[in-house]
Amino acid sequence: MNERTIFSLLRAQTRRIPESEVFGTVLSLGGLQLEVGGLGAAARMGAHVKVADRIRGEIVAVDRGVATVLPFGTWEGVALDDEVRLIGADGDLYPDQSWLGRVLDAFGQPLDDAVLCDGPRSYPPRAVPPDAFQRRPTGRKLETGIKVIDAFTPICRGQRLGVFAGSGVGKSTLMAMLARQVDADVIVIGLVGERGREVQDFISRDLGPEGMARSVLIVATSDQPPLTRRQAAWTATAIAEYLRDQGLHVLLMMDSVTRFAMAQREIGLAAGEPPTSRGYTPTVFAELPRLLERSGPGRNVTGQGDITAIYTVLVDGDDHNEPIADTVRGILDGHIILARKIAEGGRYPAIDIAKSVSRALPHCHAAAERAIMSTARRALALNAEMEDLVRIGAYRAGGDAWTDAAIRFASLADVFLRQGTRDSLSSDETFAALYGLLDEAGLPLSPEELSAG
């Protein structure tokens, strides 16, 4: 163990020495809720406690000297009159660049047996988003190597994008492709409420040793309590903020923001909040912008990096207008819709081009790229309109030249846009290929159209 590691451990132990201690006792216990008395004015929203000196909890409500506490685990073995010790706020993190290549829990603690060095500066898990007037605008277009994204829903540095899909449509696979291929200095990945077996698969199969070396993973699996799942999202964002402050371009990936919202709903219901839209409590819709606005371009000062963020949204019953999807779509800078119908047709990534939007357009594309993209979108939209008519024989080839060309292009594009998980194509090559397909289908672009965009 080197000197830096020993110093880091001593510093971490010193921070844990409390200036003073406040104690209370368990008054009542039922389900997830535990009521505590005796903490007095020290009982504040968000403060953490230790119950019976072994189970960590968080104060989620205070009413006339009685604090309602939820566990980061279960209350198994806790009894009335057990001692409750206040242990401070929501647990500041002390990130360090040596955390790259590590897998951490929701509190920033290592999930392996190796020592984790602390950095010198604290970062609160629940930080305030940067002031809007201090931020830079989004930066240059990022190469993802994914044809349909680079052409139709481009991502710029500092942009926040949502991937919306039902279960089993390829959401996690698309995230893995982006993690491997997006040009970023470091990657922070928050797996919030994911299946436990997928963690090792994601590390070994999707990231690989090279990807893992520049990544930090924060994991809270679906079997863990709602407080822990919510904490994982905050911790991942705080670590991304630290790396941004080191002047790095950070790719923050969170799978999924829906499970963060579900965790907040469980916490709100346990604290006595009234359910509103589809059972979600008011704090869910307050916490979502507080979380999502923390990513994005850095402050307009020297030495500040950016956080490009990609969040997945698991839509309930393939309903893309359900409350969480609708709220998140309004906060982010674009959305990619994965359609089950397209996946069932065998095209992956199963991105619905007509319904997917990047708010980085139009400035993200050059003039010629905008012209190619616009013509391709119009052709695909017309083909979608005519699809049912063609299927039942109400439209036959030769009725309209533009429609015939659009149908031919859609068939060619469907083959071209299919992509394996390890395949990659540059943005320039993608647009050159699309230009060729438009010409082959009978939709050539004139030099004037290409230069005007």
Side-chain angles (χ1 to χ4, degrees):
M1 190 178 292
N2 58 38
E3 291 182 3
R4 182 176 182 277
T5 302
I6 294 171
F7 179 74
S8 175
L9 291 173
L10 289 172
R11 184 169 54 194
Q13 291 294 332
T14 304
R15 290 193 193 107
R16 295 190 183 105
I17 300 173
E19 295 180 4
S20 62
E21 292 189 318
V22 179
F23 294 89
T25 56
V26 175
L27 299 179
S28 68
L29 176 64
L32 283 179
Q33 290 189 39
L34 180 144
E35 291 188 339
V36 178
L39 296 178
R44 299 183 180 184
M45 288 285 288
H48 287 192
V49 298
K50 266 286 182 70
V51 179
D53 205 31
R54 58 189 179 83
I55 301 173
R56 185 171 182 151
E58 180 179 316
I59 297 175
V60 297
V62 181
D63 182 18
R64 299 175 186 177
V66 177
T68 301
V69 179
L70 296 185
F72 289 98
T74 67
W75 295 130
E76 186 175 350
V78 175
L80 294 179
D81 296 327
D82 274 353
E83 185 179 82
V84 179
R85 177 168 55 91
L86 196 68
I87 58 174
D90 53 2
D92 283 1
L93 300 165
Y94 291 82
D96 188 76
Q97 291 201 41
S98 64
W99 291 16
L100 293 173
R102 303 297 296 274
V103 182
L104 313 177
D105 67 11
F107 302 97
Q109 297 302 310
L111 289 175
D112 53 28
D113 295 328
V115 174
L116 189 73
C117 291
D118 282 357
R121 180 184 165 190
S122 68
Y123 278 76
R126 300 186 67 180
V128 177
D131 187 272
F133 287 96
Q134 296 178 358
R135 281 188 150 173
R136 293 190 295 266
T138 53
R140 61 177 178 83
K141 182 170 72 173
L142 300 176
E143 291 274 347
T144 70
I146 302 171
K147 293 177 280 190
V148 64
I149 291 179
D150 286 342
F152 298 102
T153 56
I155 303 172
C156 287
R157 176 168 169 152
Q159 188 176 352
R160 300 164 305 154
L161 200 71
V163 178
F164 294 71
S167 57
V169 188
K171 183 171 68 284
S172 297
T173 303
L174 179 61
M175 293 285 278
M177 292 174 70
L178 289 167
R180 284 195 303 270
Q181 295 170 188
V182 170
D183 179 22
D185 298 321
V186 292
I187 305 171
V188 178
I189 302 171
L191 300 179
V192 181
E194 285 300 302
R195 292 176 285 273
R197 67 160 188 83
E198 290 188 343
V199 176
Q200 287 290 356
D201 287 347
F202 189 85
I203 293 170
S204 58
R205 183 184 61 200
D206 297 327
L207 278 180
E210 185 177 343
M212 190 62 206
R214 65 182 185 125
S215 302
V216 183
L217 263 71
I218 295 84
V219 177
T221 53
S222 59
D223 61 297
Q224 294 183 298
L227 282 176
T228 305
R229 283 180 269 135
R230 185 185 66 174
Q231 186 78 20
W234 289 341
T235 296
T237 307
I239 294 171
E241 289 169 332
Y242 159 75
L243 294 167
R244 175 203 63 196
D245 291 347
Q246 308 310 302
L248 300 173
H249 174 211
V250 185
L251 176 63
L252 171 62
M253 311 184 79
M254 193 171 295
D255 189 10
S256 72
V257 72
T258 305
R259 294 192 175 102
F260 168 83
M262 289 178 173
Q264 182 62 51
R265 175 174 63 182
E266 292 179 53
I267 294 165
L269 291 172
E273 286 188 63
T276 54
S277 181
R278 292 207 187 177
Y280 288 100
T281 56
T283 52
V284 173
F285 303 102
E287 288 292 343
L288 281 171
R290 289 189 61 182
L291 174 72
L292 302 178
E293 286 289 349
R294 290 168 62 183
S295 57
R299 293 178 177 85
N300 196 16
V301 295
T302 305
Q304 181 93 169
D306 302 300
I307 301 175
T308 302
I310 299 173
Y311 301 95
T312 68
V313 179
L314 181 63
V315 295
D316 187 13
D318 286 345
D319 177 9
H320 289 269
N321 293 315
E322 56 94 15
I324 299 303
D326 199 43
T327 301
V328 173
R329 191 164 52 240
I331 298 170
L332 298 180
D333 307 320
H335 51 272
I336 292 173
I337 304 296
L338 301 185
R340 192 173 301 278
K341 182 180 177 182
I342 295 173
E344 289 169 350
R347 172 159 73 80
Y348 289 95
I351 296 174
D352 189 329
I353 295 170
K355 295 180 180 178
S356 299
V357 174
S358 171
R359 294 192 177 99
L361 292 171
H363 72 271
C364 197
H365 280 338
E369 293 172 339
R370 287 199 299 272
I372 294 169
M373 180 201 70
S374 297
T375 305
R377 270 187 176 275
R378 288 199 304 272
L380 292 172
L382 179 57
N383 174 74
E385 287 179 20
M386 302 299 295
E387 198 170 21
D388 290 338
L389 295 177
V390 172
R391 186 176 293 113
I392 65 174
Y395 177 83
R396 295 184 181 278
D400 178 73
W402 220 97
T403 302
D404 292 343
I407 293 171
R408 285 193 297 271
F409 173 74
S411 178
L412 295 169
D414 184 68
V415 176
F416 170 69
L417 294 175
R418 295 169 189 257
Q419 190 166 349
T421 57
R422 296 285 171 177
D423 296 340
S424 180
L425 197 69
S426 72
S427 180
D428 289 342
E429 291 172 322
T430 295
F431 278 104
L434 283 174
Y435 178 76
L437 294 180
L438 288 169
D439 188 61
E440 183 181 344
L443 297 168
L445 292 167
S446 66
E448 292 78 15
E449 289 176 304
L450 291 171
S451 59

